[in-house]
Amino acid sequence: MKEAEIIEILAGSLLFGGLEDRALKTVLTLGRSRAALRGELLFQEGEAATGFFVLLSGKVKVFKATFEGKEKILHILGPGEPVGEAPMFGGIPYPASAQTLEPCQLFFLPREVFIDKLKDMPELALAMLAVLSRRLRVFTTQIEHLALKEVPARLAAYLNTLKEECGGETSLVLPLSKAQLASLLGTSPETLSRILGRMVTAGYLNVTGNILEICDPEGLAQVAEEGRME
Amino acid sequence: MKEAEIIEILAGSLLFGGLEDRALKTVLTLGRSRAALRGELLFQEGEAATGFFVLLSGKVKVFKATFEGKEKILHILGPGEPVGEAPMFGGIPYPASAQTLEPCQLFFLPREVFIDKLKDMPELALAMLAVLSRRLRVFTTQIEHLALKEVPARLAAYLNTLKEECGGETSLVLPLSKAQLASLLGTSPETLSRILGRMVTAGYLNVTGNILEICDPEGLAQVAEEGRME
DNA sequence: AAAAGAAATTGATACAGATCAATACCTTGA
DNA sequence: TCAAGGTATTGATCTGTATCAATTTCTTTT
């Protein structure tokens, strides 16, 4: 991947978006880019956090796994997003694992170098704080949903945010497999399938493969809020 | 509350612990301290984050509430800990509400002033990053537990961390009511009560009011890991 | 195009935990 | 000392969802 391309992606990211060209070039010298195959483990829970990645292209899942083989997806990350940045600052091991879902282009920044640079670049530190802040907010609502809401509400909420991200478009393409979505929502593929079915018969949605059309956005929003269907 | 006392508490906190005396005094000039009664709301979900508190004394709960009246406690915070610091940086509203559980002494830092100062104090920015990083880790395991583990495992894990915090002491005083603990674990008081009962008959614990004695730490650790009791 | 494999659906069953209601227990104040 | 209000326990019931198993549908490979 060419330098210019990398810079372009970094410039468009939340983390480095506010930086001037000169600063961006500096950042570029701090790390190195590399390619990763589909299914590659970027890091595993418990390992020391020696640095973090910025995802230049492709998709990565961050997940927790139990030794009985169950797993919970915490995030699905796309281009421009940092991966594994949080644990660095606490001097703690990675609290979860990360794996590529497709071939990816990655930019790796080593811990020491980056933290050192942070001291000279207050705007970068603030950007980093903003990123962690947003992560915390996402987790906050995830916890609320898992503890207090049932699967239909969680699904409805997810579909709502997906619709937001697509600029209000009512016809959506799921950016992940249904099994992965189930894991993200903290349920099983079977249950997800059934509830999608119920939402279709109740007239909220139309589903065709991994394309789905939202017929009743208000109704869906209500399910997300109140939890109950029909 | 006297300045000296405040400084002492700030100096002992995670956030300001690394700062020199001069820097601490600067921090002190940025905000102001005040007292709060038991049950006072510090902020509510959805409000703009105009700053954050450092808890000087007392206890605060941070929670999410649904409009059906259910609530999930996210954190219980004690002296030295910051409250509501995260949303400031993202420029996002408070994602949860905070309420005092007892009379508290608070130190309030307004957003603008603090963020401005952060630019001159890289070590403070790093400390802030470390704090958010730890919060994220705690949330990460909370999500894992809610999605993949059942109540006995969550309770066992909580008791373990409580024991750690008390330096391995096997005789513990619950720092919160059982109803609050239930909310923190994402369950109902009834269920918590039953499971505590089962743990007693299984020989893991002895419970007397809100004092409990851990009889079988290894067994408890196993329940936390594997989920199943007896 | 056929075969093999993965992903998704559907059905039947079991169980953890929520909920509702009633009772017991402990404070705290009058 | 008794009342009163909160906090905790216990019992009975109901429901959402996990789980196991069996197909069905789609995707990929050869």
Side-chain angles (χ1 to χ4, degrees):
Chain A
M1 203 168 205
K2 286 190 210 126
E3 276 209 5
E5 285 182 76
I6 300 180
I7 289 214
E8 196 177 329
I9 295 172
L10 293 185
S13 70
L14 249 178
L15 190 47
F16 302 105
L19 302 187
E20 314 153 11
D21 259 31
R22 244 187 78 266
L24 272 177
K25 291 216 170 124
T26 312
V27 169
L28 205 65
T29 65
L30 299 180
R32 32 187 300 107
S33 77
R34 74 170 177 94
L37 299 173
R38 180 195 143 100
E40 201 168 309
L41 271 172
L42 301 185
F43 51 80
Q44 256 181 306
E45 180 177 352
E47 282 177 22
T50 57
F52 75 103
F53 299 88
V54 178
L55 193 48
L56 300 173
S57 73
K59 238 179 275 176
V60 167
K61 74 172 173 186
V62 176
F63 64 101
K64 272 257 186 186
T66 64
F67 72 153
E68 302 111 40
K70 295 193 214 169
E71 80 171 40
K72 168 74 173 76
I73 294 179
L74 297 166
H75 309 282
I76 300 277
L77 301 171
E81 296 194 81
V83 186
E85 76 293 349
M88 267 184 14
F89 301 105
I92 53 181
Y94 291 113
S97 310
Q99 184 178 26
T100 60
L101 293 174
E102 31 186 276
C104 291
Q105 201 66 32
L106 302 165
F107 186 69
F108 181 78
L109 284 151
R111 178 191 148 94
E112 312 297 341
V113 181
F114 182 76
I115 289 190
D116 213 62
K117 212 68 196 173
L118 228 45
K119 292 173 190 159
D120 309 337
M121 300 176 73
E123 71 279 28
L124 185 52
L126 284 177
M128 201 84 222
L129 282 166
V131 165
L132 296 200
S133 161
R134 274 153 204 274
R135 288 269 153 88
L136 272 166
R137 194 182 63 114
V138 171
F139 275 180
T140 299
T141 67
Q142 254 204 67
I143 290 172
E144 180 200 5
H145 286 6
L146 284 171
L148 304 177
K149 309 230 171 154
E150 320 199 319
V151 182
R154 289 182 241 156
L155 174 56
Y158 174 81
L159 294 178
N160 268 331
T161 60
L162 197 61
K163 182 168 142 254
E164 305 286 297
E165 281 170 18
C166 298
E169 188 57 57
T170 59
S171 179
L172 301 168
V173 180
L174 283 183
L176 30 57
S177 77
K178 292 188 182 159
Q180 284 162 3
L181 177 55
S183 172
L184 193 63
L185 297 177
T187 186
S188 65
E190 293 95 326
T191 303
L192 174 60
S193 176
R194 285 183 238 272
I195 290 172
L196 272 174
R198 278 169 56 198
M199 285 189 169
V200 170
T201 46
Y204 295 115
L205 298 177
N206 274 336
V207 182
T208 336
N210 64 157
I211 297 163
L212 67 187
E213 168 137 19
I214 298 179
C215 308
D216 180 1
E218 297 85 19
L220 211 59
Q222 199 174 330
V223 174
E225 271 297 302
E226 305 181 14
R228 307 227 135 260
M229 281 183 62
E230 85 255 79
Chain B
M1 201 168 205
K2 288 190 209 122
E3 275 209 5
E5 285 181 76
I6 299 179
I7 289 214
E8 196 177 330
I9 294 172
L10 294 185
S13 70
L14 247 179
L15 191 47
F16 302 105
L19 303 186
E20 313 153 14
D21 259 31
R22 245 187 77 262
L24 271 177
K25 290 213 170 128
T26 312
V27 169
L28 205 65
T29 64
L30 300 179
R32 35 186 298 109
S33 77
R34 74 172 178 93
L37 300 174
R38 181 196 139 99
E40 200 168 309
L41 270 172
L42 302 186
F43 51 80
Q44 255 181 309
E45 178 176 353
E47 282 178 23
T50 58
F52 74 103
F53 300 88
V54 178
L55 192 49
L56 299 173
S57 73
K59 238 179 277 176
V60 168
K61 75 170 172 188
V62 177
F63 65 100
K64 273 256 183 185
T66 64
F67 73 152
E68 300 112 38
K70 295 192 214 170
E71 79 172 39
K72 168 73 175 76
I73 294 180
L74 297 166
H75 309 281
I76 301 276
L77 300 170
E81 296 193 82
V83 186
E85 76 292 351
M88 267 185 12
F89 301 105
I92 53 181
Y94 291 113
S97 310
Q99 186 178 25
T100 60
L101 293 175
E102 31 186 277
C104 290
Q105 201 65 30
L106 301 165
F107 186 70
F108 181 77
L109 284 150
R111 177 190 147 95
E112 313 296 342
V113 181
F114 183 75
I115 288 190
D116 215 61
K117 211 67 197 171
L118 228 43
K119 291 174 190 158
D120 309 338
M121 299 175 74
E123 70 279 28
L124 185 52
L126 284 178
M128 201 85 221
L129 282 166
V131 166
L132 297 199
S133 163
R134 276 151 203 277
R135 289 265 154 91
L136 273 166
R137 194 181 65 115
V138 171
F139 275 0
T140 299
T141 67
Q142 253 204 68
I143 291 172
E144 179 200 4
H145 286 6
L146 285 170
L148 304 177
K149 307 228 172 157
E150 319 201 320
V151 183
R154 289 182 240 157
L155 174 56
Y158 174 81
L159 294 178
N160 266 331
T161 59
L162 197 61
K163 183 168 141 251
E164 306 284 299
E165 281 170 18
C166 298
E169 188 56 57
T170 59
S171 180
L172 302 169
V173 181
L174 283 183
L176 29 56
S177 77
K178 292 191 182 159
Q180 285 163 2
L181 178 55
S183 171
L184 194 62
L185 297 177
T187 186
S188 65
E190 294 94 327
T191 304
L192 174 61
S193 177
R194 285 183 238 273
I195 288 172
L196 272 174
R198 279 169 57 198
M199 284 188 171
V200 170
T201 46
Y204 296 114
L205 298 176
N206 275 336
V207 183
T208 334
N210 64 156
I211 297 164
L212 68 187
E213 166 137 19
I214 297 179
C215 308
D216 180 1
E218 299 84 20
L220 213 59
Q222 199 175 330
V223 174
E225 271 294 304
E226 305 181 15
R228 305 227 136 261
M229 280 184 63
E230 88 257 74

